[in-house]
Amino acid sequence: MSDTSVQKPMTIHLKVWRQARGEAKGKFVDYKVENVMPLMSFLEMLDVLNEELVKKGEEAVEFD
């Protein structure tokens, strides 16, 4: 039986569709998100990714 009180961080690989505007050409961009905890929600994981992107001076991932 596994101990759920011990969570090991994971590395998640994402493919995100990036497109500047409605008519602009878009493309998939690969991102690696490290230190994702198993109980994090998808939105929390995107927050981690966006924090890293902003630190690098890149545009954050937006979603509706």
Side-chain angles (χ1 to χ4, degrees):
M1 191 172 235
S2 66
D3 183 7
T4 57
S5 65
V6 178
Q7 293 187 35
K8 294 184 180 181
M10 302 177 288
T11 299
I12 305 292
H13 297 268
L14 299 173
K15 283 192 177 290
V16 177
W17 181 257
R18 302 301 308 247
Q19 185 174 356
R21 300 281 183 261
E23 296 296 322
K25 185 176 179 182
K27 65 178 180 175
F28 280 104
V29 178
D30 294 319
Y31 293 106
K32 180 169 75 168
V33 186
E34 297 179 337
N35 297 317
V36 176
M37 299 307 290
L39 294 180
M40 277 183 169
S41 70
F42 188 78
L43 294 177
E44 289 171 320
M45 179 192 59
L46 285 179
D47 284 341
V48 171
L49 171 60
N50 281 338
E51 287 173 11
E52 290 300 315
L53 291 174
V54 170
K55 283 181 189 175
K56 295 178 188 176
E58 298 180 29
E59 192 171 332
V61 173
E62 295 179 18
F63 49 92
D64 290 328

